Amino acid sequence: MRLFVALALPDSLRLVLAGLAGGVPGARWVPAANLHLTLRFIGEVQSWQAQEIDDALAAVRSRGFELSLAGIGTFESAGRVTTLWARAERNERLSHLQQKIETALQRAGMAPERRRFAPHVTLARVDQVPEAKLARWVQAHSLFRAEPVLVEHFTLFSSQLGKEFAVYTPEVDYALA
Ligand code: ATP
Ligand code: MG
């Protein structure tokens, strides 16, 4: 199965984010149900590994916090903008949680994540979008800010890749103190 660790987002926040969709011809907006903040992508594992991952995540101790999304950013690949996202504000507890998860997963045998943690919520895949259109949209939404939300758990999701969108299933929630 294909796994990743993420923060599920409350309905209220997902509705606000879904409300940003539109105005970028060719963008593939993430359906509201799929909006999340990835803490660690795991990828394909055997079920015995999934069990070890679950054990490791269950042992993570970290505190709850308020999550604030503010600002819009993009990821590029090979000189093309591929992804449009909402930025999570700097947050010590979020970073701490992410580090704890990283350490736990390495102990469970996962190879270290090499990429720096850049907390974000993917809004759309935009690899088919003319850059000028995208730049205009990003500029128009640069002051985006959502009400802070309380984060009281993190979640191990499975992901089934589909033709249009992946289907994510929350497998286990882990409480934060
Ligand atoms: P698709 O790949 O079909 O576009 P998806 O990216 O929504 O679907 P997954 O590929 O299963 O679904 O990814 C699940 C989550 O993990 C997403 O938030 C994705 O951005 C993130 N992710 C996927 N691959 C990586 C990776 N190599 N490094 C970091 N995060 C990743
Ligand atoms: Mg993917």
Side-chain angles (χ1 to χ4, degrees):
M1 63 180 96
R2 185 179 177 93
L3 297 176
F4 64 102
V5 182
L7 299 180
L9 304 177
D11 293 353
S12 56
L13 180 55
R14 285 189 290 108
L15 275 175
V16 168
L17 294 170
L20 292 171
V24 186
R28 286 170 295 138
W29 295 93
V30 174
N34 276 13
L35 292 164
H36 65 277
L37 189 154
T38 300
L39 295 167
R40 174 58 142 94
F41 180 71
I42 296 172
E44 284 294 332
V45 297
Q46 305 290 319
S47 54
W48 65 268
Q49 286 175 297
Q51 187 56 58
E52 294 195 353
I53 288 165
D54 175 33
D55 291 344
L57 293 175
V60 167
R61 294 287 167 264
S62 201
R63 313 239 335 245
F65 54 89
E66 283 201 334
L67 173 71
S68 294
L69 300 183
I72 300 289
T74 58
F75 286 142
E76 290 183 18
S77 170
R80 271 192 81 81
V81 179
T82 58
T83 312
L84 185 64
W85 41 265
R87 178 182 289 107
E89 284 194 326
R90 251 192 83 74
N91 183 319
E92 284 307 318
R93 294 217 185 137
L94 172 60
S95 305
H96 180 258
L97 173 61
Q98 187 270 335
Q99 281 163 21
K100 285 276 180 117
I101 290 169
E102 178 61 28
T103 306
L105 291 177
Q106 287 183 26
R107 282 210 202 98
M110 305 283 106
E113 172 60 77
R114 297 279 170 215
R115 299 199 283 182
R116 205 172 66 82
F117 180 51
H120 66 277
V121 178
T122 296
L123 300 174
R125 315 286 165 146
V126 292
D127 42 321
Q128 311 291 346
V129 175
E131 299 239 338
K133 291 244 158 65
L134 191 61
R136 211 175 305 151
W137 191 95
V138 170
Q139 193 162 29
H141 293 83
S142 60
L143 295 179
F144 168 75
R145 171 175 288 276
E147 286 283 308
V149 295
L150 202 54
V151 174
E152 295 175 298
H153 63 269
F154 65 97
T155 303
L156 179 62
F157 284 92
S158 63
S159 168
Q160 275 176 290
L161 298 184
K163 273 194 219 89
E164 225 191 323
F165 294 105
V167 174
Y168 305 142
T169 306
E171 300 289 347
V172 191
D173 284 341
Y174 306 93
L176 297 169

